[in-house]
Amino acid sequence: MVGELEFERPIKELRKKITELKEFTKTADVDLSSEIVKLEGRLEKLEQEIYENIKPWDRVQIARLANRPTTLDYISYLFEGFFECHGDRSFGDDEAIVGGVAKFKGLPVTVIGHQRGKDTKENIRRNFGMPHPEGYRKALRLMKQADKFNRPIICFIDTKGAYPGKAGEERGQSEAIARNLFEMAGLKVPVICIVIGEGGSGGALALGVGNRIYMLENSTYSVISPEGAAAILWKDASLAKNAAETMKITAPDLKELGVIDDIIPEIKGGAHKDVKKQAEGIEKVLKMSLQQLLKLSEDELIADRYNRFRTIGEYTTLKDYIGVN
Amino acid sequence: MALKDLFTKNQPKKKKYATIPTEIAKHDVPEGIMTKCPSCKKIMYTKELVKNVKVCLHCSYHFQMNAKERIDSFIDEGSFKEINENMVSENPLNFPGYLEKLEKDRQKSKLNEAVVTGMGTVNGQKIVVAIMDASFRMGSMGSVVGEKITLAIEKADELSIPFIIFTASGGARMQEGALSLMQMAKTSVALKRFSNNGGLIISIMTHPTTGGVSASFASLGDYNFAEPGALIAFAGRRVIEQSIREELPEDFQTAEFLLKHGQLDAIISRIDLVEKITNILEIHQPGGEIEW
């Protein structure tokens, strides 16, 4: 069933029990209200306990829910007058990425994001949110347009990765991703990136070179899917659950590693429970970071982005190596 | 010696069976004197092969080169000065077994990491060069590879001299997770700054250049070159075959395939490499007299 998650089962069962009891008291001639109150108290406690201890693998499941809000869902709540622009001006229109112009609280902005479908039909149209080179080139074209008209750029990241296919290789998937990383570095406008679902490898990063990078609490961002990591590292894709923990792909992990700036809290149980409310949480963060970034000059914005990525990585220096010469 | 060691029962068993050399072992020629070409199967003297910059004397197959061999064959003799040679990886994710794997590769390859960076001259022209070496963790990019390449780009920027990179990599390094992924952004951001300052970037893709490396600095040269036959890919061939369920052309993801699809400026044989790169460097030399 859509929205059915293993770790939520105890909550669901308890809730069902409470509803049953309530139904029962309506018809039967016994007073169970004290019992119900007790159970409701227990439910609250249980929810707190479960939702505060969501394991990495559970977050992967939440991030992958078919009914998890997508880029277009958030766009409809966050912006006014969104006008979608199609095509990369050279090959085609990749519907795995959407982009266009809109207003955010009166401020003209450019919005770009990966777009997956919510059912099979839409997923086929959108290639499951896995872009081809023309998708990245469309995104870049729109970023350049934003740069010209001095509009901040907001990117929503939500992809399993760039599509691994023959056509993609022929048309330069590598070059398209690389070009975006390179050109995003030089944008003279604020760039804010938000991971809203899965952030899969280079295909996610190609919309991810921003001044600020945020993640929704239950989203993931990784160099490879947990299944892929398990297959490569331990030759067993069924160890994905372990890989999800080892690879440090959740928002709290990545904040600690300095990969993201902050976590946007999700409403209890996940963003899908109330899109409108979740959008309000995103709105707050967008407003705050735009207010900060709009104070910076063009050069300062570029320098800020440079420093943002320049400092990522952990290494040390040996004393006793003499090099290849 | 303990008493029990006197009894044969406790002695390590001798092999009772004869070993039959495998197919591969049978065709193997003792390491050192002779080398067999994996492409045309002809055998040649290793010394001659090395003298021919590790290009097969019969069929021009390009053997993989390590960083040391690349320096010897590409940089003017005695001009190379390595930088940041002592930088080594940590284990940011506490990934089980990662440090041991690094140590093993350090012993095997005599390198501290999968890239060697430094300054030198090519036919007298100053450059900063980064050379990836696939013998260390398959040339994969983690924090150190990203940092060393970024520092090399910054050095080229500081000195206003061209930056040349030889790529050879299996992609991002799994064991450093998202930190590896972010090195793609870090190096690209550095290249952008260098490029905006007028810096010349030359990328020479060698076998193999895949994944996160091909999707970042390898593809960002003002000139993108490749060695003949090099595998250059974003996604693995098997992954693609599984996802599209059809057989791929034999030259799929080779340098020749990329050239045909407009992704490369040229394929350059290693034998002509110094001459061709010198040519490009000369065209980019500032000043010079116009003779008309």
Side-chain angles (χ1 to χ4, degrees):
Chain A
M1 204 190 111
V2 174
E4 178 89 357
L5 292 169
E6 179 71 33
F7 73 95
E8 281 185 320
R9 196 172 288 159
I11 297 174
K12 246 181 156 168
E13 277 169 7
L14 191 58
R15 196 171 280 153
K16 206 172 130 201
K17 216 174 196 174
I18 294 171
T19 327
E20 273 171 18
L21 277 181
K22 277 182 177 167
E23 284 294 311
F24 184 67
T25 45
K26 265 185 209 162
T27 51
D29 201 16
V30 275
D31 185 21
L32 291 170
S33 54
S34 67
E35 196 73 13
I36 290 171
V37 170
K38 226 158 102 194
L39 280 179
E40 275 173 341
R42 228 172 85 192
L43 176 70
E44 206 176 303
K45 238 176 157 178
L46 184 71
E47 275 190 328
Q48 204 171 358
E49 209 171 278
I50 287 181
Y51 289 135
E52 270 171 18
N53 290 302
I54 302 180
K55 297 271 176 298
W57 183 243
D58 299 330
R59 291 194 201 274
V60 171
Q61 302 311 312
I62 298 177
R64 285 176 180 174
L65 279 175
N67 61 343
R68 187 166 173 85
T70 65
T71 296
L72 285 175
D73 290 327
Y74 289 126
I75 285 177
S76 69
Y77 284 106
L78 288 167
F79 305 101
E80 306 104 51
F82 175 68
F83 189 96
E84 188 181 349
C85 303
H86 294 275
D88 71 338
R89 293 280 197 276
S90 118
F91 180 81
D93 184 38
D94 185 349
E95 295 192 85
I97 287 184
V98 294
V101 291
K103 280 195 174 180
F104 177 72
K105 303 196 164 295
L107 175 76
V109 293
T110 286
V111 190
I112 301 164
H114 300 99
Q115 183 64 41
R116 53 179 183 79
K118 288 195 170 175
D119 52 44
T120 312
K121 201 175 148 203
E122 201 196 349
N123 259 325
I124 287 168
R125 188 178 130 210
R126 304 218 177 259
N127 200 32
F128 296 82
M130 301 172 85
H132 280 80
E134 51 273 22
Y136 295 114
R137 287 172 184 144
K138 168 168 76 177
L140 183 58
R141 171 179 86 77
L142 293 173
M143 289 185 214
K144 292 263 178 184
Q145 190 200 54
D147 204 42
K148 174 179 169 185
F149 294 105
N150 203 23
R151 284 193 298 263
I153 299 165
I154 295 147
C155 292
F156 292 104
I157 295 170
D158 185 16
T159 183
K160 290 183 185 305
Y163 187 68
K166 183 166 172 257
E169 297 283 332
E170 285 172 349
R171 298 199 286 274
Q173 191 74 285
S174 284
E175 197 273 345
I177 293 170
R179 186 63 48 198
N180 278 20
L181 308 180
F182 185 78
E183 294 296 345
M184 284 183 89
L187 294 169
K188 301 189 293 284
V189 295
V191 182
I192 299 167
C193 309
I194 305 172
V195 186
I196 57 170
E198 281 185 276
S201 200
L205 186 63
L207 298 184
V209 183
N211 296 88
R212 297 284 184 277
I213 300 133
Y214 299 102
M215 277 175 83
L216 288 190
E217 191 184 340
N218 293 314
S219 60
T220 61
Y221 200 176
S222 62
V223 68
I224 188 171
S225 71
E227 288 81 0
I232 292 177
L233 294 166
W234 304 305
K235 314 256 178 284
D236 185 355
S238 67
L239 294 173
K241 198 173 168 175
N242 301 22
E245 304 207 347
T246 315
M247 297 294 288
K248 303 235 161 67
I249 61 175
T250 65
D253 284 334
L254 293 170
K255 192 182 171 191
E256 206 183 307
L257 286 171
V259 170
I260 62 163
D261 294 276
D262 219 337
I263 304 165
I264 303 176
E266 282 192 31
I267 49 178
K268 222 196 281 176
H272 58 287
K273 305 247 162 149
D274 190 343
V275 189
K276 189 163 176 273
K277 219 167 147 205
Q278 189 60 59
E280 282 166 16
I282 296 176
E283 189 183 274
K284 226 165 64 191
V285 172
L286 271 183
K287 209 175 113 186
M288 182 200 65
S289 47
L290 277 170
Q291 279 170 349
Q292 290 170 359
L293 293 170
L294 283 171
K295 287 186 196 137
L296 303 184
S297 69
E298 293 180 352
D299 287 345
E300 283 169 338
L301 281 167
I302 292 173
D304 175 77
R305 220 172 296 128
Y306 193 91
N307 297 332
R308 176 75 198 73
F309 288 92
R310 185 65 190 84
T311 47
I312 301 180
E314 287 183 26
Y315 46 85
T316 180
T317 306
L318 289 181
K319 288 199 186 87
D320 54 351
Y321 173 74
I322 25 158
V324 288
N325 267 5
Chain B
M1 198 197 287
L3 188 64
K4 66 173 190 197
D5 293 338
L6 291 171
F7 299 94
T8 51
K9 210 177 158 190
N10 292 320
Q11 298 289 329
K13 275 184 190 152
K14 263 189 195 163
K15 275 187 194 164
K16 284 196 182 125
Y17 46 85
T19 46
I20 299 164
T22 61
E23 257 334 278
I24 300 163
K26 258 194 233 170
H27 292 279
D28 255 6
V29 179
E31 193 71 30
I33 307 162
M34 307 290 282
T35 304
K36 186 176 167 185
C37 173
S39 176
C40 70
K41 316 278 181 221
K42 287 193 177 126
I43 292 167
M44 63 210 103
Y45 282 110
T46 306
K47 250 189 194 162
E48 279 180 28
L49 178 66
V50 171
K51 222 171 113 192
N52 202 39
V53 286
K54 293 189 93 177
V55 173
C56 173
L57 300 159
H58 308 284
C59 73
S60 295
Y61 171 83
H62 283 52
F63 285 77
Q64 259 178 288
M65 250 189 179
N66 63 31
K68 175 94 173 65
E69 291 165 333
R70 184 67 70 181
I71 293 164
D72 291 346
S73 72
F74 184 71
I75 308 285
D76 295 342
E77 206 183 327
S79 76
F80 184 71
K81 187 175 171 293
E82 192 175 357
I83 54 173
N84 302 306
E85 64 274 20
N86 286 358
M87 199 176 282
V88 292
S89 297
E90 295 200 302
N91 192 359
L93 309 192
N94 289 319
F95 204 95
Y98 181 40
L99 292 177
E100 290 75 25
K101 278 189 174 137
L102 289 172
E103 186 51 42
K104 219 170 104 188
D105 278 18
R106 216 169 281 145
Q107 304 284 343
K108 191 184 78 185
S109 67
K110 304 270 181 283
L111 294 170
N112 268 335
E113 253 295 343
V115 69
V116 173
T117 56
M119 290 159 297
T121 59
V122 176
N123 272 330
Q125 305 199 66
K126 282 183 194 157
I127 58 156
V128 170
V129 69
I131 301 165
M132 301 189 81
D133 192 319
S135 61
F136 190 99
R137 296 275 88 213
M138 282 166 61
S140 61
M141 171 162 65
S143 297
V144 173
V145 171
E147 182 66 21
K148 282 176 82 169
I149 289 173
T150 304
L151 285 168
I153 298 164
E154 288 174 338
K155 192 76 179 170
D157 201 15
E158 180 196 320
L159 300 173
S160 296
I161 56 176
F163 174 70
I164 298 181
I165 184 151
F166 289 89
T167 61
S169 176
R173 190 171 297 166
M174 302 289 133
Q175 290 88 344
E176 291 186 35
L179 291 182
S180 300
L181 181 66
M182 292 301 144
Q183 303 309 311
M184 292 169 65
K186 182 158 96 180
T187 50
S188 301
V189 165
L191 281 175
K192 179 65 181 176
R193 179 182 275 185
F194 179 52
S195 182
N196 278 358
N197 292 338
L200 168 64
I201 306 159
I202 300 175
S203 165
I204 301 158
M205 296 178 236
T206 75
H207 180 77
T209 295
T210 63
V213 165
S214 111
S216 59
F217 50 83
S219 297
L220 291 174
D222 295 298
Y223 301 90
N224 290 338
F225 299 127
E227 287 198 332
L231 168 76
I232 303 162
F234 173 69
R237 187 189 181 98
R238 249 181 307 156
V239 176
I240 296 173
E241 270 174 344
Q242 274 165 10
S243 67
I244 63 169
R245 290 170 207 288
E246 67 177 275
E247 216 157 291
L248 296 163
E250 201 174 315
D251 73 342
F252 189 60
Q253 300 179 323
T254 59
E256 292 72 17
F257 175 89
L258 265 81
L259 184 71
K260 202 165 75 189
H261 286 92
Q263 311 292 340
L264 293 175
D265 288 276
I267 294 173
I268 303 180
S269 162
R270 206 178 281 158
I271 294 180
D272 308 327
L273 190 65
V274 172
E275 185 197 323
K276 297 245 166 117
I277 297 298
T278 305
N279 185 350
I280 300 277
L281 290 172
E282 271 169 6
I283 285 170
H284 282 267
Q285 272 288 8
E289 219 151 282
I290 301 165
E291 304 160 12
W292 64 46

